[in-house]
Amino acid sequence: MANTILVGAQWGDEGKGKIIDVLTEQADVVVRTQGGNNAGHTVFVGPQKYVLHLIPSGILRRGKKNVIANGVVVDPIGLVNEINGLHKLNVKTEGRLFVSETAHVVLPYHRELDAQREVLKGRHKIGTTKRGIGPCYGDKAARVGLRMVDLVNPERFEEKLRLRIKENNEVLRALGAKPLSFKTVHHTYAAAARVLKPYVTNTVVLLHACLRRGESLLFEGAQGTFLDIDHGTYPFVTSSNTSAGGACTGSGVPPHRMDRVVGVMKAYTTRVGEGPLPSEADEISDLLHGMGREFGATTGRPRRCGWFDAVATRHATMVNGIDELAITNIDGLDTVETIKVCIGYRDGKARYDHVPADDQVLARVEPVYAEFEGWRTPLDKVRRWKDLPVKTRTYLRAISELTGARLGIASVGPARAQTIFV
Ligand code: GDP
Ligand code: IMO
Ligand code: MG
């Protein structure tokens, strides 16, 4: 398989974990390049459900290498818990999981600051996952972060941590929050460092060695295009580049080695957290929540739901250079009589066929809808394109045309087998 970047083309939770798992069969290495344990990627292997936060979803397939590359922010406690959780389920990580020396480390003050800043923002809060992602990337940009190479060097870790806790405690006190105890944090994180040390390596050298051997790489995007710090609905975004470019900077694999970009999108739209969502609609939200669907894999929060937004996904195709679409959760629309697709935005007399950059405009635009007849039959057992109802194929072809990329995969259920190659 060609070196493939897989990105979320909406607001996250598009079903990337499931599609990565399917594509991993033909890949040698799966690489996470941005985000942290704010991600929650669900994969079913038979009846067993796995939710991966930091570890690439390729860990569930035997013989595949898995890399947490330099662009990821690593919560050591979260990572140790995830490793232990996999061991309990008889999934091996030793010799198959590699963590970049230069990945930044999420520390307790990042999580505490994340939470405190949300409280301070009041009704303007972002609705973060409170995993410390924003403050950790903030420290990286401010050049005061600790990296994995620091964490696994006991003397250096102690020295740097002491300084960082001192400074951050000043900030926490000023915010009225409890300061952290250096001793407690050091004890806990030094223990995690001992567990993680064997996994920490130079992943740039490792990935280039894989490339020289002709192995194929699959880049597992986290979050989605509209949560990208540059291209998303700022400030209601995460703090990394979730779009295709992030795979290069986040791994040290150069752009000319990337062969294709797969954009994952749901057959409708969801978002968790605050911020504009032009095609949000109670009718689809009530339907999906009533079916027990669309609750967050990381925080358990109910996701906001809306109709498929072709304006947004067209923008995502442009920004990521999406060659191929993987459309998931098509079965979520099985019972809908009339399916709507947002084909434009209206703001008074102004009409937009692209996503306006001004977040205040985006927050007030009204969707312009096209309507499609629903197929009103269960799709979960369909395995071939030609066995899909004509109305389903019409709907999928329309969203592919409106989005501007070829349809490659249609997913009709969470399991591996519920995948149709088009
Ligand atoms: P990710 O963050 O993009 O990996 O997506 P999540 O795992 O957070 O959320 C996607 C949810 O949809 C998970 O519960 C998946 O098991 C589920 N899922 C993925 N594809 C399909 C599909 O085609 N049909 C159904 N019913 N569920 C799906
Ligand atoms: P996966 O990889 C959906 C959202 C949060 C919040 C915003 C900022 O599973 O698709 P952060 O904690 O990153 O500072 O939160 O981004 N968010 C996600 N939403 N899926 C995700 O990951 C997300 N990761 C962050 O809800 O709105
Ligand atoms: Mg998710």
Side-chain angles (χ1 to χ4, degrees), residues 116-160:
Q116 291 298 330
R117 285 177 190 161
E118 284 284 273
V119 173
L120 273 179
K121 285 197 187 90
R123 65 184 181 86
H124 299 294
K125 71 172 187 205
I126 298 168
T128 74
T129 59
K130 299 201 178 80
R131 298 296 189 270
I133 305 298
C136 184
Y137 276 116
D139 274 3
K140 177 178 179 177
R143 295 154 296 174
V144 293
L146 269 71
R147 303 186 296 175
M148 290 304 289
V149 70
D150 302 313
L151 179 78
V152 298
N153 176 325
E155 292 82 49
R156 206 194 301 176
F157 178 58
E158 182 173 347
E159 188 191 334
K160 289 198 174 188

Side-chain angles (χ1 to χ4, degrees), residues 34-36 38-39 73 126 128-129 132-134 137 222-243 271:
Q34 43 73 226
N38 50 347
V73 288
I126 298 168
T128 74
T129 59
I133 305 298
Y137 276 116
Q223 292 80 53
T225 304
F226 295 98
L227 293 172
D228 184 289
I229 187 148
D230 284 279
H231 300 291
T233 53
Y234 192 91
F236 301 101
V237 293
T238 190
S239 301
S240 66
N241 282 118
T242 62
S243 51
R271 168 167 210 167

Side-chain angles (χ1 to χ4, degrees), residues 11-16 39-42 49 51 266 268-273 277 280-281 284-286 288-289 292-306 329:
W11 278 268
D13 302 328
E14 295 90 348
K16 298 177 292 295
H41 297 177
T42 315
K49 178 181 172 175
V51 181
K266 279 179 178 149
Y268 46 91
T269 303
T270 65
R271 168 167 210 167
V272 53
L277 191 63
E280 187 167 17
I284 178 95
S285 218
D286 294 346
L288 293 164
H289 291 154
R293 297 168 72 133
E294 301 308 344
F295 293 90
T298 295
T299 58
R301 291 179 288 177
R303 296 173 180 151
R304 297 156 62 194
C305 305
N329 285 275

